[in-house]
């Protein structure tokens, strides 16, 4: 018992002497799920929804809750942000003014509802859900009014990531769930593909792939171009498909870490790569970093007392006290 109390004392004493400013000074990393409008960007950090100026300045937290927020998307006019959240123990669609306020819940089904975008007129939120399918391998698309009400099921058999065309006459979507997160450069039978659905005629066209296949996903339709992520040349990078001449163009050329979670405004593509945000300028074809600095009260980093028997799995004392801390408190 005495040795256990000594160990707890070591944990508490060391924790109180660890610098905690590493993530709150300079450029912040590990933000994800970016969204973009003409005047602002939004993103998820520390499991909450944040908003900042278009250049990443003046970041502020819009939501704070024990549940996890995800998939933020700006309305076409930039006045609202739709996102998925677990506020009531289930992942549902919520909407909040971009100036701040109380989030309004739009869906109420026990199935997870994942925000994908807005209809072009901004009146409804596009989301996918497994509420009416017979297996968890598939999902369908729905829209729900920003004022609430019953969702409308779209006549597409299965869909995951998706985006409306600016005129609302087409939807680009991936019909199947992505499986490449388990296997890098996956080339099996369920490769992620992109189809273009005609809302009026129900015809479907497929965005072509190179010989040998690839994974295409996360489409965003801007003017007459569909931007998407693809590993057709190795690592995941940003590509675009021109709906007029059918040409596919590669825009980024990272070879160390994949590009994740793209978001598009009229002239810019915001994306996450290697734990940081970057911006691709559609007009100048220039890619640059978008540094964001967040200084806030993150409860996970605040010095505090903990109950040792809840967190200690194994322990050893290193010559350097801080290293010993992380060995002991690996689960905090």
């Amino acid at each position: 018992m005495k040795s256990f109390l000594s160990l707890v004392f070591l944990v508490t004493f060391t924790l109180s002497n660890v610098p905690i400013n590493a993530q709150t000074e300079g450029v912040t990393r590990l933000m994800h799920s970016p969204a973009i409008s003409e005047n602002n960007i939004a993103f998820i950090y520390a499991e909450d929804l944040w908003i900042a100026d278009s250049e990443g300045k003046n970041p502020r937290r819009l939501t704070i809750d024990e549940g996890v927020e995800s998939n933020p998307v700006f309305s076409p006019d930039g006045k609202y942000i739709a996102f998925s959240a677990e506020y009531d123990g289930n992942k549902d669609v919520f909407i909040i003014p971009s100036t701040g306020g109380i989030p309004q819940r739009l869906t109420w089904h026990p199935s997870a509802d994942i925000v994908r975008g807005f209809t072009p007129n901004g009146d409804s939120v596009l989301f996918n859900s497994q509420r009416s399918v017979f297996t968890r391998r598939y999902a369908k698309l729905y829209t729900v009014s920003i004022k609430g009400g019953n969702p409308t099921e779209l006549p597409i058999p299965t869909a995951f990531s998706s985006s409306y065309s600016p005129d609302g006459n087409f939807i680009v979507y991936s019909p199947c769930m992505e499986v490449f997160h388990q296997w890098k450069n996956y080339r099996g039978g369920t490769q992620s593909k992109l189809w273009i659905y005609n809302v009026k005629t129900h015809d479907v066209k497929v965005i072509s792939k190179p010989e040998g296949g690839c994974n295409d996903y996360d489409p965003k339709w801007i003017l007459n171009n569909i931007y998407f992520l693809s590993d057709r040349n190795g690592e995941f990078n940003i590509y675009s498909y021109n709906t007029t001449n059918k040409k596919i163009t590669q825009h980024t050329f990272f070879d160390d870490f994949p590009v994740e979670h793209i978001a598009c405004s009229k002239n810019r593509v915001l994306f996450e790569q290697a734990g940081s945000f970057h911006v691709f300028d559609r007009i100048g074809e220039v890619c640059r970093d978008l540094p964001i600095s967040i200084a806030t009260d993150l409860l996970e980093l605040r010095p505090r007392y903990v109950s040792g028997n809840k967190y200690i799995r194994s322990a050893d004392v290193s010559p350097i006290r801080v290293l010993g801390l992380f060995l002991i408190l690996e689960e905090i």
Side-chain angles (χ1 to χ4, degrees), residues 108-162:
W108 302 83
H109 194 275
S111 174
D113 298 327
I114 310 300
V115 170
R116 293 307 185 191
F118 277 84
T119 54
N121 58 15
D123 289 342
S124 299
V125 178
L126 176 69
F127 69 96
N128 77 11
S129 177
Q130 296 179 323
R131 59 179 63 199
S132 63
V133 297
F134 64 93
T135 171
R136 295 185 63 84
R137 289 177 61 100
Y138 304 106
K140 291 180 65 67
L141 290 177
Y142 301 81
T143 59
V144 61
S145 171
I146 61 174
K147 298 179 181 179
N150 291 327
T152 300
E153 181 178 311
L154 301 188
I156 298 176
T158 63
F160 276 82
S161 57
S162 56

Side-chain angles (χ1 to χ4, degrees), residues 124-327:
S124 299
V125 178
L126 176 69
F127 69 96
N128 77 11
S129 177
Q130 296 179 323
R131 59 179 63 199
S132 63
V133 297
F134 64 93
T135 171
R136 295 185 63 84
R137 289 177 61 100
Y138 304 106
K140 291 180 65 67
L141 290 177
Y142 301 81
T143 59
V144 61
S145 171
I146 61 174
K147 298 179 181 179
N150 291 327
T152 300
E153 181 178 311
L154 301 188
I156 298 176
T158 63
F160 276 82
S161 57
S162 56
S163 178
Y164 268 100
S165 65
D167 58 11
N169 291 328
F170 298 90
I171 298 175
V172 58
Y173 70 100
S174 56
C176 297
M177 181 185 296
E178 303 95 15
V179 298
F180 52 79
H181 297 291
Q182 296 282 344
W183 303 282
K184 192 178 181 72
N185 296 124
Y186 171 76
R187 294 296 184 266
T190 55
Q191 297 173 47
S192 182
K193 61 196 74 173
L194 295 179
W195 294 357
I196 301 175
Y197 169 77
N198 188 313
V199 173
K200 297 180 178 179
T201 67
H202 306 295
D203 291 335
V204 173
K205 295 181 179 179
V206 181
I207 294 180
S208 62
K209 293 186 176 188
E211 185 178 355
C214 66
N215 293 281
D216 300 337
Y217 80 113
D218 199 18
K220 300 293 186 296
W221 200 318
I222 302 297
L223 300 179
N224 63 335
N225 285 283
I226 298 172
Y227 286 84
F228 61 97
L229 297 178
S230 178
D231 63 352
R232 56 184 60 209
N233 285 328
E235 190 56 90
F236 275 103
N237 277 283
I238 299 177
Y239 293 75
S240 66
Y241 171 80
N242 188 285
T243 57
T244 302
N245 59 26
K246 317 304 182 194
K247 181 181 178 181
I248 295 177
T249 304
Q250 183 173 353
H251 299 287
T252 62
F253 298 86
F254 296 101
D255 58 9
D256 51 356
F257 295 100
V259 175
E260 300 274 1
H261 305 294
I262 61 173
C264 297
S265 64
K266 183 177 180 180
N267 295 318
R268 302 194 305 168
V269 179
L270 176 65
F271 64 95
E272 171 196 351
Q273 194 269 343
S276 298
F277 286 162
H278 312 266
V279 172
F280 171 72
D281 187 292
R282 296 182 58 248
I283 305 302
E285 290 284 318
V286 176
C287 188
R288 59 182 176 85
D289 296 340
L290 186 68
I292 300 176
S293 298
I294 296 177
T296 189
D297 176 23
L298 297 178
L299 298 180
E300 295 83 358
L301 299 182
R302 182 179 62 81
R304 63 199 187 277
Y305 289 96
V306 299
S307 177
N309 61 349
K310 291 183 178 180
Y311 296 102
I312 297 174
R313 304 177 72 177
S314 61
D316 193 10
V317 178
S318 71
I320 301 176
R321 186 172 58 195
V322 173
L323 292 180
L325 163 71
F326 288 108
L327 286 173

Side-chain angles (χ1 to χ4, degrees), residues 1-37:
M1 182 66 179
K2 183 178 179 180
S3 61
F4 174 77
L5 292 176
S6 299
L7 182 59
V8 174
F9 174 77
L10 171 64
V11 172
T12 304
F13 177 79
T14 311
L15 182 61
S16 65
N17 286 275
V18 175
I20 62 171
N21 296 324
Q23 190 67 291
T24 58
E25 292 182 353
V27 178
T28 303
R29 300 174 71 90
L30 300 181
M31 303 165 293
H32 64 92
S33 303
I36 189 170
S37 67

